[in-house]
Amino acid sequence: MKTLGHWIGNKPVESTSGTFGPVYNPATGAQPTQVSLASVEEVDAAVAAARAAYPEWSQSSLAKRTAFLFKYRELLDARRDEIAELITAEHGKVHSDALGEVARGMEILELACGIPEKLKGELSTQVSTRVDVASIRQAVGVVAGITPFNFPAMVPMWMFPLAIACGNTFVLKPSEKDPSAAYRLAELAAEAGLPEGVLNVVNGDKVAVDRLLAHPDVAAVSFVGSTPIARYIQAEATANGKRVQALGGAKNHMMVLPDADLDHAADNAINAAYGSAGERCMAVSVVVAVGGIADELVAKIAERAGALRIGPGDDPASEMGPLITREHRDKVASYVSGAAAQGAEVVVDGTGFSVEGHENGFFLGVSLLDKVRPGMAAYDDEIFGPVLCVVRAETYDEGLVLINSSKWGNGTAIFTRDGGAARRFQLEVEAGMVGVNVPIPVPVGYHSFGGWKQSLFGDLHIYGNDGVQFYTRGKVVTTRWPDPADSAGINLGFPSNH
């Protein structure tokens, strides 16, 4: 069995903790890898490497940083398939989906390549006689990133390229369920010429997380994961004086108005609900059918759901792969049976699904639940699996109240041909990311990603301009270079602007 350790100071480091976590192939249920779970001392070693690298890296020129970033992008571009294969082997998503993940992560790397434009300061000249004032932004220090299992390459790339472009050094703690893609990203960074200690990967569980949150040399923490853990990350990190951006969970609603193209809406509901087996924080998990369209829309979604091809992620014929673990699959399945007991109509039941030849894999068919209401567990909880709920609303206003009553506010969408209704929705809905006839409105790299309410803890979203602001801190420099002939002598009065 392969053992994956840590990456510290541009080299692999074998763990001495003696504790390991299983890394499964979700399509087969086999365990080809175990990952080392770091001790406090091993986390400290990674932070120490980042701390030692910080002075020189933070003072390096923008030209040097961008030269590395461009070379790194070239390497990753050539290794897209390799990284996607690692994702499929440990996460289970189909290869095309894994390739898409790599591509979206590389958008942020490409944004980082343009960091000189983002770090341009502001200058006001002659604010007073021969006095100039400049506002600049500088790196914050050692930054930690704690990332989830569902995007083992993309979410780390949401963080470290921008952080190191801004002059920080980085310690990444990826999910212990599928750590190999993040580890490979760090290896390739070293190959591209990143100095040792600038990017480190320490694998681990809560022991590693808690040490990063408490470590006095860690200045900032980025996190993407569930809402309970995001709340915990923010509380612990801020108590220790760190800046935090912590993105939590979601229950994303897709409102379909009576004038919408129902075939288009059904196609997009399928794509957004069941892609990546529903293990996306931006997945659509609730369709709000407005007016009298529900029966027809549900029938169209059910017809498409029955035709989906589910199988191993490395099979080109597969459209959806397995879930990440057996335990998670069973938990997701329990919501389907529970919904029936609570009065929902199970239109499509995927709980008895298996793949011939892969009976030990963590597969689950897609499920469609109709006539779901708030108060049912399938509606109230973030299921994080291939289960789509349909809620019926008589009017737009009723649907809007339903969406805005959610404790989450990550993403939402409206499907309509009515521009006025769409404009109302984008202004009135309480969510951080809104799609108009776009079911998964994940922003491009130069706009920031993040939700509202219990989907975000901290003030700043991730990547884009918010990411640059998070990974830097402002400084204002006031400068006077007086002409020696103008010396006015001593004056103890308060300086005025003349």
Side-chain angles (χ1 to χ4, degrees):
M1 181 184 300
K2 176 184 174 183
T3 298
L4 189 68
H6 315 300
W7 182 265
I8 300 173
N10 275 10
K11 60 181 182 293
V13 175
E14 291 186 15
S15 177
T16 58
S17 70
T19 56
F20 304 93
V23 179
Y24 295 103
N25 180 333
T28 65
Q31 184 195 332
T33 305
Q34 63 179 1
V35 61
S36 300
L37 303 179
S39 64
V40 168
E41 292 76 18
E42 288 168 334
V43 175
D44 288 351
V47 174
R51 186 73 186 93
Y54 176 71
E56 182 174 353
W57 182 251
S58 63
Q59 294 303 312
S60 64
S61 68
L62 292 173
K64 180 178 179 179
R65 293 182 219 161
T66 53
F68 154 73
L69 290 163
F70 275 106
K71 186 172 182 181
Y72 187 43
R73 189 219 172 270
E74 184 180 353
L75 274 176
L76 289 186
D77 190 42
R79 306 289 201 290
R80 287 174 187 254
D81 270 306
E82 175 191 340
I83 297 167
E85 287 168 3
L86 290 173
I87 295 168
T88 295
E90 293 184 352
H91 175 275
K93 65 180 65 175
V94 299
H95 187 72
S96 59
D97 193 18
L99 280 172
E101 171 181 345
V102 176
R104 292 307 296 265
M106 287 183 63
E107 282 187 9
I108 314 306
L109 175 55
E110 290 159 358
L111 175 72
C113 288
I115 199 64
E117 171 67 24
K118 295 294 184 182
L119 291 184
K120 285 196 307 186
E122 297 177 328
L123 175 65
S124 297
T125 59
Q126 202 69 1
V127 298
S128 184
T129 304
R130 297 192 179 92
V131 175
D132 302 330
V133 177
S135 295
I136 61 175
R137 300 201 69 83
Q138 293 181 302
V140 300
V142 177
V143 177
I146 302 166
T147 58
F149 73 81
N150 59 325
F151 289 100
M154 184 183 75
V155 174
M157 285 197 282
W158 281 2
M159 299 176 184
F160 74 79
L162 205 53
I164 63 178
C166 291
N168 303 283
T169 54
F170 205 90
V171 178
L172 173 63
K173 206 301 286 182
S175 171
E176 65 274 24
K177 293 182 175 68
D178 47 7
S180 293
Y183 191 94
R184 185 65 179 133
L185 292 175
E187 287 182 322
L188 291 172
E191 185 178 335
L194 189 65
E196 65 179 57
V198 176
L199 174 61
N200 309 274
V201 177
V202 59
N203 289 303
D205 54 10
K206 189 175 184 297
V207 171
V209 169
D210 285 344
R211 181 54 182 159
L212 289 171
L213 299 180
H215 200 295
D217 287 338
V218 174
V221 177
S222 298
F223 171 81
V224 175
S226 69
T227 287
I229 305 303
R231 182 185 286 111
Y232 174 81
I233 294 286
Q234 186 200 33
E236 292 297 311
T238 54
N240 287 299
K242 307 180 192 314
R243 59 170 57 184
V244 181
Q245 54 179 187
L247 280 64
K251 196 75 175 183
N252 303 313
H253 294 66
M254 171 178 153
M255 181 186 286
V256 182
L257 296 188
D259 71 320
D261 181 329
L262 295 190
D263 286 310
H264 182 244
D267 287 342
N268 281 277
I270 289 284
N271 297 339
Y274 303 133
S276 198
E279 293 174 324
R280 294 171 174 163
C281 68
M282 287 295 287
V284 164
S285 50
V286 179
V287 167
V288 181
V290 176
I293 63 170
D295 287 343
E296 184 179 359
L297 180 59
V298 168
K300 289 179 180 293
I301 295 173
E303 179 185 6
R304 288 159 171 79
L308 289 177
R309 298 187 300 273
I310 303 171
D314 58 3
D315 182 348
S318 298
E319 295 174 298
M320 189 186 97
L323 276 71
I324 186 70
T325 63
R326 179 176 286 106
E327 293 78 13
H328 184 56
R329 178 202 57 193
D330 294 345
K331 180 180 178 181
V332 171
S334 72
Y335 280 100
V336 178
S337 56
Q342 291 182 322
E345 180 182 334
V346 181
V347 180
V348 178
D349 186 347
T351 57
F353 183 84
S354 65
V355 175
E356 185 177 355
H358 292 77
E359 287 81 6
N360 292 324
F362 311 142
F363 288 97
L364 186 68
V366 301
S367 293
L368 176 62
L369 309 178
D370 190 15
K371 300 174 184 174
V372 177
R373 300 184 308 277
M376 297 180 179
Y379 180 85
D380 293 345
D381 296 349
E382 183 182 28
I383 298 175
F384 219 64
V387 179
L388 177 61
C389 299
V390 177
V391 178
R392 298 172 180 233
E394 291 298 322
T395 64
Y396 165 89
D397 288 325
E398 182 184 336
L400 182 70
V401 169
L402 179 79
I403 297 171
N404 286 348
S405 297
S406 174
K407 63 183 177 181
W408 290 292
N410 206 42
T412 189
I414 186 169
F415 277 70
T416 180
R417 293 186 176 97
D418 186 335
R423 188 174 186 276
R424 274 193 64 188
F425 184 78
Q426 69 186 42
L427 295 175
E428 295 173 346
V429 74
E430 296 176 7
M433 294 169 282
V434 181
V436 176
N437 299 314
V438 175
I440 307 178
V442 175
V444 293
Y446 38 90
H447 288 267
S448 298
F449 178 106
W452 288 9
K453 298 189 281 190
Q454 293 189 33
S455 294
L456 177 72
F457 297 83
D459 296 327
L460 292 171
H461 293 177
I462 205 164
Y463 67 72
N465 288 335
D466 274 20
V468 174
Q469 187 174 349
F470 180 77
Y471 292 128
T472 58
R473 51 188 171 179
K475 180 182 286 184
V476 179
V477 181
T478 302
T479 306
R480 170 179 284 153
W481 294 107
D483 188 321
D486 293 342
S487 178
I490 296 173
N491 182 350
L492 300 186
F494 193 82
S496 60
N497 296 327
H498 296 298

